[in-house]
Amino acid sequence: MDKRASRIPSTKQDILQAVQRIKKGELVAFPTETVYGLGANALDARAVHNIFIAKGRPKDNPFIVHVSDEKMLRSVVKTIPPLAKKVMKKFWPGPLTILFEKNKKLSPVVTAGLSTVAVRMPAHPLALELIHKSGVPIAAPSANKSGRPSPTTVEHVHEDFGKKIFVLDGGKTKHGVESTVVSLSGKPKVLRLGAISYEELKKIIPGLVVDVKLKKGVASSPGQKYKHYAPAQPMILFSSLKKLVSYAQLHKDSVILCKEKNIPLISRTISKSRIISLGKTDEDVARNIYDRLRTKKGKLILVLGVQKKGIGRTVMDRLERAATKIV
Ligand code: TXA
Ligand code: MG
């Protein structure tokens, strides 16, 4: 039986408690359609500062501000340019984060001193209700300790922060990878690959380019320069199944993460107990990857990469950042 079937999802009572906590300047973890966020009132600089402390997050890495309606967006930005309006109409509420010029109402703590603020309207009903009922925009990074895989279940949040953190329970998240971050001023750019694929975005934003790599140590988006998504064990990312199998034969203490279709071939020479499925499709892989990277099995994790197209491009971005070595 699916263990999640018997869990108790968050109730109205829990939401009210979460709202009270946000209003008091406390931190609340909540589900979004991408990953769980660790939220605080974006207009309360002290509360936002406490997110940095709780996560162990570098101070120069700003947070995404989550809003529940356009009025709330207007309360933190200078203007909404026409291209942003078009993109919002198509993708909001949803897993797309857009950079805007920030206004004075927002403390520089949220934006790490940058003149822009990253904003998104999440599509998860619990997230929207929490923001709407709190009546303030909510600053929220992913609810993991800095450097760890992002949380896609309540259990992941507890794993990183213990039970002391208040978490709204929305079960397993839908997309499993974070929102796509775009800059629309000047040449439109993807600053972080995410749940909305580059291909899908390009249909609406002509001339869109991907700008997620460091150039001489400088990143267009601060988060891109830090180590991310790393499992507790060392992880090697393979593009060739043959090389992965040879490596696994020599390293008996390793476990393998791969798509379901690869299991029959790998299990010809490797015990099935060492193979962990990432699911059938690339969407499944996105949904499962952070959970699987949190495996307690083995002393070494070997991952078979996927094709860099559609959501697979996002998955590979995460795996390349998480990897100790790429073969
Ligand atoms: O799906 C998501 O986006 C999740 C959920 C909780 O909404 N949030 C999330 O937040 O992934 P976080 O803090 O883990 O990642 C935010 C990313 C970082 O890479 C950060 O550097 C970038 O957004 N960012 C935030 N503000 C920025 C800004 N003003 N300019 C450039 N990049 C910015
Ligand atoms: Mg994060």
Side-chain angles (χ1 to χ4, degrees), residues 30 32 34-38 55 57 60-64 66 95 97 99-100 110-111 114 116-118 120 122 140-144 150 177-181 191-192 220-224 228:
F30 63 97
T32 78
T34 57
V35 300
Y36 276 72
L38 182 61
K55 267 189 75 101
R57 170 130 158 168
D60 67 346
N61 193 7
F63 297 136
I64 293 171
H66 298 68
T97 297
L99 258 55
F100 295 88
V110 182
T111 58
L114 296 176
T116 52
V117 57
R120 89 175 183 99
S142 47
N144 52 278
S150 300
V177 287
E178 300 85 344
S179 63
T180 308
V181 180
L191 301 183
R192 180 180 69 180
S220 307
S221 178
Q224 301 303 78
H228 267 314

Side-chain angles (χ1 to χ4, degrees), residues 51-277:
I51 312 178
F52 280 104
I53 307 285
K55 267 189 75 101
R57 170 130 158 168
K59 284 284 154 52
D60 67 346
N61 193 7
F63 297 136
I64 293 171
V65 171
H66 298 68
V67 298
S68 55
D69 54 52
E70 203 175 308
K71 191 170 159 223
M72 207 179 257
L73 166 69
R74 287 185 189 283
S75 76
V76 293
V77 303
K78 269 193 185 149
T79 53
I80 307 177
L83 181 57
K85 266 196 191 138
K86 177 179 153 188
V87 172
M88 281 156 56
K89 196 160 176 228
K90 170 81 182 162
F91 294 105
W92 278 14
L96 184 73
T97 297
I98 304 171
L99 258 55
F100 295 88
E101 282 299 310
K102 81 178 260 305
N103 69 19
K104 288 212 178 84
K105 199 170 168 189
L106 208 56
S107 156
V109 178
V110 182
T111 58
L114 296 176
S115 60
T116 52
V117 57
V119 187
R120 89 175 183 99
M121 189 188 290
H124 198 290
L126 274 177
L128 283 175
E129 199 174 341
L130 174 68
I131 305 162
H132 177 69
K133 291 210 163 121
S134 300
V136 289
I138 293 186
S142 47
N144 52 278
K145 288 271 184 186
S146 210
R148 296 271 295 142
S150 300
T152 53
T153 64
V154 171
E155 289 72 23
H156 296 160
V157 180
H158 285 152
E159 212 172 274
D160 279 15
F161 293 98
K163 292 262 165 95
K164 63 182 187 292
I165 198 98
F166 185 88
V167 194
L168 279 178
D169 190 347
K172 186 173 167 176
T173 60
K174 181 177 164 200
H175 295 288
V177 287
E178 300 85 344
S179 63
T180 308
V181 180
V182 292
S183 161
L184 301 176
S185 68
K187 190 167 177 52
K189 288 175 184 164
V190 171
L191 301 183
R192 180 180 69 180
L193 293 161
I196 298 183
S197 72
Y198 169 61
E199 289 85 344
E200 204 181 329
L201 273 171
K202 211 174 167 195
K203 284 187 211 153
I204 307 294
I205 313 171
L208 181 74
V209 295
V210 178
D211 179 19
V212 297
K213 297 262 188 283
L214 289 181
K215 290 178 206 81
K216 295 183 183 145
V218 176
S220 307
S221 178
Q224 301 303 78
K225 65 179 184 229
Y226 292 109
K227 180 87 190 157
H228 267 314
Y229 324 112
Q233 311 89 320
M235 188 270 262
I236 307 178
L237 176 60
F238 289 83
S239 52
S240 143
L241 187 141
K242 224 170 127 193
K243 280 188 185 160
L244 178 143
V245 171
S246 319
Y247 202 93
Q249 284 166 343
L250 291 174
H251 296 82
K252 305 266 186 260
D253 54 359
S254 62
V255 290
I256 296 168
L257 310 190
C258 63
K259 275 166 99 165
E260 216 158 285
K261 67 169 187 198
N262 301 117
I263 297 178
L265 197 84
I266 298 176
S267 62
R268 278 191 206 161
T269 49
I270 307 286
S271 157
K272 271 200 171 147
S273 65
R274 288 173 56 201
I275 309 174
I276 301 171
S277 171

